Amino acid sequence: MVASGIVAIFLTTRASAQTTLKDAYKVYFLIGAALNQSQFSGENTCELPLIEAQFNMIRPENVLKWSSLHPGPNHYDFTLADQYVEFGQKHGMFVVGHTLIWHNQTPDWVFQGADGNPVDRDTLLARMRDHIFTVVGRYKGRIGGWDVVNEALADNGSLRQSPWRQIIGEDYLLKAYQYAHEADPQARLYYNDYLLENGPKRAGAIALIQKLQSQGVHIAAIGLQGHYRLDSPSTKEIDDALTDFSRQGLKMTISELDVDVLPSATHSQAADINLNFKLQARWNPYTNGLPDSVQQALANRYAELFAMFLKHRDNIRSVGFWGVTDANSWLNTWPIKGRANYPLLFDRHCQPKSAFNAVIQTAPPQSRGK
Ligand code: GLA
């Protein structure tokens, strides 16, 4: 008895050490990570083996955003974007494009004429078309899915008053999806946003997508960014959102998952990258490492989240993390610069955390290691 018990423990440990995220969830959904240049260039030798082993889908953190790719009129720079796409292809990963149309990380010149005043609708539509045709066209057949529009909704579910909306009008979304579809008819087109678990914003997203669908746009999936905290949104809110979107016949992708473990400096749950608060010690409590109790709470949260994703697996296409290890997470610098955050499954030394084991163990045993 004792001997077989020991063998069983050994086998379990070996199995979980060998099982990777992508294999554990292979029959359910793709498992992705957002990458930066140090990762897809191979320069980050600590994270590279993890990326190769654990993930079968990638998103670029920044290199496909307008400001990186298209910094000036008639000036495109594809150096890093090409590297990113080649990395994904070389590893047989599903390569996502993020993002074509957003109000952030888009240079001012896009919206301005030579006199500095806002351009007219036709000029902005022509610029949008040129950008989408050039970028989507370049990666036709290689980038499998595009976040065509990112964060078009305000937190109350109305259409955000972005320069796109102000200059072109509400149909800027329709045009963006039409251009992207024309540029690569095979590419999957997504709508991506944060806080879609929140009732009014969720209702706004459903209305927006229904409208686009009635205009002939095929939205392959709605991207729920999944920038979560340990205790919010509640699993019920997430469950309700996933149920609601499924009822509309929508497929979903969890596109930017991470779990912030630090005290919140704001009551807002929004993942608005423009938020910025001053560093104070009370908001940065774990500079010497994460206490076991919080490590455990993070593992429990991840187990709960993946159980929820599995519950909705028929309608979830992929689950992607925003980053690979805690070392590179944007949550070390947002919404307060200089904090030590611990939101991902791998620690600063590229070692799996309890949260990694929790995610692996949440996958039904018969699928693990397949
Ligand atoms: C949003 C964007 C991402 C990224 C994150 C924060 O979620 O969609 O591209 O900028 O914010 O890094």
Side-chain angles (χ1 to χ4, degrees), residues 10 103 130 142 167 184 189 252 284 291 313 326:
F10 175 65
H103 56 281
D130 167 72
R142 294 192 285 159
I167 297 174
D184 184 354
L189 307 184
M252 297 167 284
N284 191 22
R313 60 179 170 256
D326 290 341

Side-chain angles (χ1 to χ4, degrees), residues 40 45 66 97 133 149 163 246 260 286 311 318 332 338 341 370:
F40 58 73
T45 50
W66 193 308
F133 269 71
V149 180
S246 301
D260 187 343
Y286 309 132
K311 175 175 169 196
S318 59
N332 295 310
N341 212 330
K370 268 194 194 162

Side-chain angles (χ1 to χ4, degrees), residues 60-62 65 98-99 102 104-105 147 150-151 192-194 225 227 256 258 271-273 322 330-331 334:
E61 268 194 43
N62 289 306
K65 288 177 181 166
H98 171 88
T99 175
W102 192 22
N104 283 319
Q105 294 182 263
D147 289 334
N150 197 34
E151 302 177 356
N192 194 49
D193 214 327
Y194 62 80
Q225 291 186 0
H227 292 298
E256 305 185 13
D258 50 20
D272 179 345
I273 65 164
W322 197 254
W330 73 302
L331 292 174
W334 179 92

